[in-house]
């Protein structure tokens, strides 16, 4: 696809930014920051960015721009035995395409439901007798009820399948139609779309930052996040989580970066762009976590003060004191006082007296869909003019998700169009989108969220580490760092300086091997893989083990992408041998011709 | 003489009798809890004898509205055991027979009503609770009759869920976009075919010259100098 090129380098940079800045920056980085000591986490994060993230990003862009082919063609060109690396990337990207758009479907669902005078997750719906709220909602919270019951209609475990949720299916259809629309003309259309998908989320984040820091109690959250707990740096998991976060946040190993770069002009200065995109990605993570933590602080303070209010009312009602004797500030003082003066009556309160703890509220760290759809929507419902904030927030989630989706689908389409199965691009794109839509409907069933979690946890993590490890070793040692240097000089006009050489040839492979070993050890030590199943009766999630067939499926997910590499190597080896033996017979005829 | 003694006894005994009728945890009484400061904040009014009189009057009003037969008066509502919280017990006695208490269930029926957040519809006698709340500028939560649960509002179920409407709008816009794209690409193709026939030769010349970084080079990129080493020798 040499004719299909980015209109200008800006489109390429924005496409990379739009791809790299995704939901992970919003819902995973703040969680890691909180778990691993707040401000102190920035140290391993920045270090891993410099040692691992930027060099590998640079390498992928270089390969794409030089070979001007998608991942399969590019890796086959570098080393025919390791063409499987490209295949493994495509398979992994395909898995990602299947499940990632379901998140966009949820964002659409929430977005459409924001256009109501009372947000549907603000209060519990009334039960059929009109006597009180629905029990499941009573035991859980309205936001959890809305997510698990009305959005997902989730079943009790992965084994209980159910029908397709029509609303979800419609939203998924819409999401895929929009993806199709954005990629229908290849990078010509994508190039224009990324101007919007890359920049608008920042606008929303800025608006949210202003709104967030002006909310009552937000300072508690921000203080909590930035207070460094340096002792966390001594734990190895901190460093490993920093490395994996950089790794997955930049989207290495999926083939998207190679695909994007293949549409570049030959002499495009990707070195500068690699640094810019990586910095922007990390900067966005930090910026988004400030926003998230101010919202967290608001939510925690709101819940804390509601708790205090309930305790105050309880004390007033039980001891029949005048209304203005107890205020929110002196509730705790009064608890001690009343315990002293009326011990028997105080004891009769029993379990109804709650302990209100701001720290405990802040400590509830959540990541992933739980943060984005449950915690955030809970905070939004308490803001004034909540419908506006809700609409803004879910539009931002949509843009972040769509931007990443573009990269995923292009990573699959570029190698397929290189293979020239179908010549007309829009038909190929349509076919891929239709295929992913039909398979993705499986995630809209009642047990679909459990399969989604399985894909999310296992579909891409392990295989990516393996793929990128093989990539680095291939480029530096099989292809040769000297030849790579010459290619880069050819494209950029100057040689690789020692930073790139040391990182690519030395530090990054070592770090990747360490990460890889850690993952395997962790997986083996973890025992039977488990998942969180939503229990209707209790109104919360319980840890459940995967049934045997699900575990087999996990193994299949992991193996299917990884084994592309050895299988292709074997296949190429056999083909070359057959070709070599065949050539000897044909040499006589060619000489005469 | 006897009549005078009886009248005297009645005048003395009635309040005493009334007091014995109204007791905390009385079987036919309800406890009321009022939270004025929570509801009104700075504009809270003081709870005093006059407000209590208003309460008795509104309760009598509710009883009259519900029964439509007997005439209730302020004296028929007996209040006792008032606390600083502003909570008290009350019982309702029948106007005919001062010793007879109106049963709990009947009092509940008179008081409870469909409480909604919509503006008051001055229709049925089911709006008594709403009127009682309004008389005191309070709500169901701040004027509590302990034991009488307000029936919750009937959920409003529109024919088309609102989200479906927004979905319809968005997907309509998307389809319009797809059609616009297809039409424009068709038009472009037709225009190109017309253009190709006129100046086809110029187009081919321009494509032969290499275009690198937007600068038109006059030469042709000589592939003889490309690095063919990328194909590893086996």
């Amino acid at each position: 696809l040499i004719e299909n090129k980015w209109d200008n380098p800006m489109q390429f940079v924005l496409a990379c930014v739009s791809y790299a800045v995704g939901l992970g920056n919003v819902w995973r980085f703040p969680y890691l920051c909180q778990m691993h000591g707040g401000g102190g986490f920035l140290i391993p994060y920045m270090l891993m960015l410099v040692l691992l993230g930027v060099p590998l990003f640079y390498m992928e862009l270089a390969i794409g721009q030089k070979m001007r082919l998608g991942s399969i063609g590019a890796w086959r060109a570098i080393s025919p035995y390791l063409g499987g690396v490209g295949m493994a990337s495509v398979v992994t990207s395909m898995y990602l395409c299947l499940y990632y758009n379901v998140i966009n479907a949820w964002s659409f669902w929430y977005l459409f439901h924001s256009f109501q005078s009372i947000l549907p997750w603000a209060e519990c719906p009334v039960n059929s007798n009109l006597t009180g709220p629905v029990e499941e909602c009573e035991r859980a919270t309205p936001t959890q009820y809305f997510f698990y019951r009305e959005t997902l209609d989730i079943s009790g475990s992965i084994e209980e399948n159910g029908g397709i949720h029509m609303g979800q299916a419609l939203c998924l259809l819409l999401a895929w139609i929009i993806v199709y629309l954005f990629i229908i003309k290849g990078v010509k259309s994508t190039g224009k779309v990324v101007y919007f998908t890359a920049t608008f989320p920042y606008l929303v984040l800025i608006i949210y930052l202003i709104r967030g820091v002006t909310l009552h109690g937000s300072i508690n959250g921000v203080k909590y996040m930035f207070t460094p707990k340096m002792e966390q740096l001594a734990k190895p998991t901190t460093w490993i989580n920093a490395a994996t976060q950089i790794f997955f946040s930049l989207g290495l190993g999926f083939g998207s970066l190679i695909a994007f770069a293949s549409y570049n002009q030959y002499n495009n200065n990707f070195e500068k762009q690699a640094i810019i995109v990586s910095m922007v990605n990390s900067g966005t993570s930090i910026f988004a976590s400030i926003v998230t933590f101010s919202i967290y602080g608001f939510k925690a303070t709101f819940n804390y003060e509601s708790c205090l209010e309930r305790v105050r009312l309880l004390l007033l009602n039980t001891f029949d004191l005048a209304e203005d004797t107890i205020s929110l500030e002196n509730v705790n003082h009064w608890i001690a006082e009343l315990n002293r003066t009326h011990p028997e009556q105080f004891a009769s309160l029993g379990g109804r007296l709650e302990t209100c703890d701001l720290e405990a509220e802040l400590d509830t760290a959540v990541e992933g869909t739980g943060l984005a759809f449950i915690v955030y929507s809970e905070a939004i419902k308490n803001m004034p003019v909540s419908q506006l904030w809700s609409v803004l927030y879910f539009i931002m989630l949509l843009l972040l998700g769509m931007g990443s989706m573009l990269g995923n689908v292009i990573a699959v389409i570029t190698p397929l169009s290189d293979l020239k199965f179908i010549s007309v691009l829009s038909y190929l794109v349509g076919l891929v989108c239709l295929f992913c839509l039909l398979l993705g409907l499986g995630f809209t069933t009642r047990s679909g969220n459990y399969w989604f979690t399985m894909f999310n946890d296992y579909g891409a993590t392990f295989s990516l580490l393996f793929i990128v490890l093989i990539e680095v070793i291939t480029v530096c040692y099989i292809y040769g760092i000297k030849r790579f240097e010459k290619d880069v000089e050819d494209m950029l006009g100057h040689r690789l300086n020692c930073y790139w050489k040391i990182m690519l040839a030395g530090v990054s492979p070592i770090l990747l091997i360490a990460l890889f070993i850690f993952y395997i050890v962790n997986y083996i030590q973890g025992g039977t893989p488990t998942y969180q199943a939503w229990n209707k009766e209790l109104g919360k999630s319980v840890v459940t083990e995967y049934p045997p067939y699900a575990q087999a499926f996990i193994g299949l997910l992991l193996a299917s992408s990884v084994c592309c590499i050895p299988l292709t190597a074997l296949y190429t080896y056999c083909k070359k041998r057959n070709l070599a033996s065949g050539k000897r017979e044909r040499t006589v005829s060619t000489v005469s011709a | 003489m006897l009549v005078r003694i009886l009248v005297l006894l009645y005048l003395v005994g009635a309040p005493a009798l009334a007091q014995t009728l109204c007791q905390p945890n009385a079987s036919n009484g309800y406890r009321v809890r009022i939270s004025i400061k929570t509801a009104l904040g700075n504009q809270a009014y003081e709870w005093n004898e006059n407000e209590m009189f208003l309460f008795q009057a509104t309760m009598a009003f509710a009883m009259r509205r519900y029964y439509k037969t007997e005439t209730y008066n302020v004296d028929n509502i007996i209040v006792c055991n008032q606390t600083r919280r502003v909570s008290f017990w009350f019982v309702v006695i029948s106007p005919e027979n001062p010793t007879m208490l109106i049963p709990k269930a009947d009092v509940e029926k008179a008081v409870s009503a469909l409480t909604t957040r919509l503006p008051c519809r001055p229709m049925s006698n089911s709006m008594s609770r709403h009127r009682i709340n309004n008389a005191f500028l309070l709500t169901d939560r701040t004027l509590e009759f302990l034991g009488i649960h307000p029936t919750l509002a009937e959920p409003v179920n529109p024919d088309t869920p609102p989200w479906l409407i927004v979905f319809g709008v968005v997907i309509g816009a998307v389809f319009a976009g797809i059609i616009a794209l297809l039409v424009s690409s068709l038009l472009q193709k037709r225009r190109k075919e017309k253009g190709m026939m006129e100046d086809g030769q110029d187009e081919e010349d321009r494509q032969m010259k290499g275009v690198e970084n937007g600068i038109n080079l006059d030469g042709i990129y000589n592939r003889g100098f490309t690095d063919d080493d990328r194909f590893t020798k086996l």
Side-chain angles (χ1 to χ4, degrees):
Chain A
L1 283 172
I2 313 281
E3 312 83 32
N4 215 352
K5 285 220 175 297
W6 300 109
D7 286 337
N8 53 51
M10 186 57 147
Q11 282 186 357
F12 168 66
V13 172
L14 286 179
C16 287
V17 166
S18 179
Y19 171 65
V21 172
L23 295 167
N25 300 64
V26 170
W27 77 26
R28 180 127 170 102
F29 182 79
Y31 166 77
L32 288 178
C33 228
Q34 184 175 16
M35 287 275 97
H36 296 293
F41 182 71
L42 292 177
I43 297 177
Y45 185 72
M46 285 300 170
L47 210 60
M48 289 299 167
L49 176 69
V50 165
L51 294 178
L52 197 63
V54 180
L56 292 173
F57 197 82
Y58 175 92
M59 181 189 79
E60 290 217 358
L61 290 189
I63 293 169
Q65 195 167 305
K66 172 73 187 175
M67 302 305 169
R68 290 187 273 178
L69 292 170
S71 48
I72 299 183
W75 289 106
R76 214 191 287 166
I78 287 183
S79 159
Y81 285 127
L82 290 171
V85 172
M87 278 233 176
S89 289
V90 171
V91 171
T92 315
S93 280
M94 180 59 98
Y95 291 153
L96 200 69
C97 283
L98 284 179
Y99 80 81
Y100 202 82
N101 226 4
V102 176
I103 305 176
N104 290 332
W106 295 337
S107 301
F108 270 121
W109 173 267
Y110 269 80
L111 176 66
F112 296 152
H113 276 85
S114 307
F115 291 95
Q116 290 175 19
S117 53
I118 307 169
L119 293 176
W121 55 85
E123 334 177 298
C124 282
V126 185
N127 64 16
S128 40
N129 309 353
L130 298 182
T131 51
V134 174
E135 285 137 33
E136 189 181 351
C137 189
E138 185 96 59
R139 289 182 217 118
T141 62
T143 39
Q144 281 179 317
Y145 177 78
F146 184 76
F147 183 64
Y148 287 114
R149 187 55 46 215
E150 300 203 16
T151 310
L152 300 175
D153 196 10
I154 206 164
S155 62
S157 74
I158 200 171
E159 289 137 8
E160 299 161 30
N161 295 316
I164 294 182
H165 188 296
M166 278 324 289
Q168 286 302 304
L170 283 176
C171 291
L172 187 65
L173 173 72
L174 178 66
W176 274 112
I177 291 178
I178 291 185
V179 168
Y180 175 69
L181 199 64
F182 286 168
I183 309 189
I184 195 170
K185 286 195 184 296
V187 291
K188 285 286 177 229
S189 54
T190 312
K192 300 196 178 44
V193 167
V194 292
Y195 279 118
F196 186 66
T197 59
T199 51
F200 194 74
Y202 285 100
L203 183 65
V204 178
L205 273 176
I206 292 175
I207 296 176
Y208 251 94
L209 181 71
I210 300 174
R211 168 77 276 200
V213 298
T214 51
L215 285 170
H216 168 64
S218 59
I219 196 71
N220 295 332
V222 179
K223 235 191 316 182
Y224 183 78
M225 172 191 149
F226 277 113
T227 323
K229 300 180 197 72
M230 286 301 186
E231 61 275 9
Q232 287 281 342
L233 289 184
K235 296 198 316 188
T237 35
T238 309
W239 297 85
I240 287 163
N241 279 339
T244 44
Q245 174 61 14
I246 287 281
F247 194 79
F248 295 129
S249 181
L250 286 173
L252 304 166
F254 285 106
S256 307
L257 297 169
I258 297 180
F260 279 154
S262 67
Y263 300 113
N264 272 341
Q265 301 287 350
Y266 190 68
N267 290 81
N268 179 48
N269 185 0
F270 62 90
E271 180 173 0
K272 198 171 56 160
Q273 292 165 344
I275 299 176
I276 292 176
V277 174
S278 319
M279 293 300 166
V280 167
N281 182 48
S282 299
T284 311
S285 291
I286 299 173
F287 182 50
S289 51
I290 299 178
V291 177
T292 302
F293 272 93
S294 53
I295 307 267
Y296 250 161
F298 164 70
K299 178 184 101 71
T301 310
F302 187 88
N303 287 347
Y304 173 67
E305 289 182 353
S306 304
C307 176
L308 283 181
E309 178 68 28
R310 286 194 298 271
V311 170
R312 171 181 165 266
L313 267 178
L314 184 65
L315 290 178
L316 282 179
N317 293 346
T318 319
F319 293 94
D320 280 324
L321 305 163
E323 269 184 285
D324 44 7
T325 42
I326 307 183
S327 69
L328 284 183
E329 284 82 45
N330 52 22
V331 168
N332 291 318
H333 161 75
W334 272 100
I335 292 177
E337 180 77 24
L338 289 168
N339 199 1
R340 203 170 45 84
T341 49
H342 302 83
E344 341 70 44
Q345 220 177 345
F346 195 85
S348 72
L349 281 174
R352 287 182 296 155
L353 189 68
E354 306 171 58
T355 36
C356 302
D357 186 1
L358 185 61
E359 280 288 317
E361 290 281 344
L362 285 169
D363 262 336
T364 52
V366 192
E367 59 164 334
T369 53
L371 174 62
F373 294 103
I374 297 178
V375 171
Y376 248 93
S377 51
E378 191 177 319
I380 288 173
K381 81 172 196 229
N382 296 323
M383 294 184 197
V385 200
S386 43
Q387 291 84 1
L388 169 69
W389 299 108
S390 180
V391 167
L392 264 182
Y393 174 67
F394 289 110
I395 287 183
M396 178 185 78
L397 278 194
L398 266 175
L399 288 174
L400 291 174
M402 280 297 177
S404 303
M405 232 6 237
L406 292 179
N408 295 332
V409 181
I410 288 187
V412 173
I413 287 190
T414 311
L416 286 184
S417 62
D418 291 341
L419 294 175
K420 304 247 183 297
F421 283 142
I422 300 172
S423 50
V424 184
L425 185 66
S426 38
Y427 291 173
L428 177 66
V429 176
L431 210 66
V432 170
C433 290
L434 187 66
F435 176 72
C436 290
L437 169 66
L438 290 175
L439 285 187
L441 284 177
F443 293 110
T444 59
T445 59
R446 294 195 60 207
S447 56
N449 190 43
Y450 301 128
W451 292 99
F452 169 86
T453 316
M454 184 200 287
F455 267 75
N456 192 28
D457 291 338
Y458 299 104
T461 44
F462 176 77
S463 8
L464 277 185
L465 279 175
F466 187 64
I467 289 172
V468 178
L469 180 62
I470 303 287
E471 280 187 9
V472 166
I473 294 179
T474 308
V475 168
C476 295
Y477 297 107
I478 299 181
Y479 187 66
I481 190 89
K482 289 264 181 290
R483 219 196 292 171
F484 183 68
E485 235 181 313
K486 235 193 314 168
D487 288 337
V488 170
E489 198 185 353
D490 196 30
M491 285 192 283
L492 292 182
H494 60 262
R495 302 186 68 96
L496 279 179
N497 63 30
C498 9
Y499 164 70
W500 300 113
K501 275 194 277 193
I502 299 174
M503 292 304 154
L504 279 176
V507 178
S508 304
I510 295 174
L511 276 177
L512 279 173
I513 292 175
L515 269 183
F516 188 69
I517 293 176
F518 166 77
Y519 248 82
I520 298 181
V521 165
N522 208 24
Y523 186 75
I524 297 173
Q525 271 186 346
T528 334
T530 60
Y531 66 104
Q532 302 268 20
W534 177 255
N535 187 318
K536 222 168 112 156
E537 281 79 43
L538 295 176
K540 58 192 192 86
S541 302
V542 286
V543 176
T544 326
E545 279 189 0
Y546 277 116
Y549 68 86
Q551 291 180 35
F553 192 79
I554 293 177
L556 191 68
L557 271 182
L558 293 173
S560 56
S561 47
V562 164
C563 68
C564 284
I565 301 178
L567 282 180
T568 318
L570 202 65
Y571 172 73
T572 319
Y573 177 68
C574 293
K575 207 165 68 149
K576 296 282 179 196
R577 259 213 330 193
N578 287 339
L579 219 75
S581 53
K583 233 189 208 160
R584 251 177 270 122
E585 294 160 18
R586 276 193 280 125
T587 28
V588 182
S589 51
T590 44
V591 166
S592 57
Chain B
M1 180 61 186
L2 200 61
V3 176
R4 232 179 280 153
I5 294 174
L6 280 171
V7 168
L8 208 65
L9 271 172
Y10 178 77
L11 282 171
V12 170
L17 186 65
Q19 277 312 101
T20 52
L21 282 173
C22 171
Q23 282 188 12
N25 300 316
S27 54
N28 278 325
Y30 274 105
R31 186 168 182 201
V32 175
R33 191 152 60 208
I34 298 184
S35 317
I36 309 174
K37 293 203 176 61
T38 313
L40 300 170
N42 287 337
Q43 298 166 339
Y45 50 81
E46 209 37 59
W47 184 264
N48 51 26
E49 284 302 313
N50 300 332
E51 305 288 345
M52 185 58 87
F53 182 80
L54 180 59
F55 177 79
Q56 290 172 303
T58 45
M59 280 314 299
F61 163 74
M63 296 303 291
R64 283 194 189 195
R65 255 183 132 215
Y66 183 69
Y67 280 104
K68 290 199 256 251
T69 53
E70 301 167 87
T71 40
Y72 283 85
N73 219 328
V74 180
D75 303 325
N76 300 125
I77 314 293
I78 305 171
V79 171
C80 57
N81 217 37
Q82 193 176 346
T83 65
R84 284 179 303 160
R85 173 70 179 81
V86 193
S87 71
F88 49 84
W89 285 84
F90 78 95
V91 291
V92 184
I93 53 176
S94 162
E96 273 93 51
N97 189 351
T99 52
M100 191 179 87
L101 291 173
I102 304 291
K104 211 166 172 168
D106 293 335
V107 176
E108 176 170 352
K109 279 197 212 117
V111 168
S112 72
L114 197 65
T115 54
T116 64
R117 280 185 218 87
L118 301 169
C120 225
R121 283 168 306 189
M123 297 190 312
S124 55
N125 55 359
S126 60
M127 297 313 290
S128 292
R129 182 73 188 267
H130 195 70
R131 300 286 291 271
I132 298 172
N133 286 346
N134 274 356
F136 291 96
L137 307 173
L138 297 173
T139 65
D140 281 343
R141 273 198 328 125
T142 40
L143 172 59
E144 298 167 80
F145 288 83
L146 297 184
I148 302 179
H149 296 293
T151 37
L152 298 157
E154 178 89 32
V156 175
N157 270 330
D159 296 321
T160 11
W163 78 268
L164 211 52
I165 299 174
V166 187
F167 172 79
V169 168
V170 173
I171 208 168
V174 168
F175 275 127
I178 292 183
I179 293 175
L181 241 138
L182 287 174
V183 167
S184 76
S185 64
L186 245 132
L187 283 176
Q188 236 180 10
K189 220 187 279 180
R190 215 170 287 164
R191 220 179 294 143
K192 212 189 260 183
E193 274 167 19
K194 244 189 249 170
M196 273 298 263
M197 288 189 284
E198 290 162 17
D199 48 9
Q201 197 53 34
D202 296 352
E203 286 279 328
E204 282 180 35
D205 276 343
R206 219 172 295 131
Q207 270 173 17
M208 282 306 289
K209 299 193 180 115
V211 180
E212 299 250 332
N213 284 349
I215 310 164
N216 248 329
L217 298 173
D218 278 328
I220 304 170
Y221 190 64
N222 193 334
R223 297 208 165 261
F225 291 100
T226 36
D227 202 352
D228 276 328
D229 285 354
R230 58 183 168 167
F231 297 104
T232 34
K233 302 178 183 58
L234 291 160

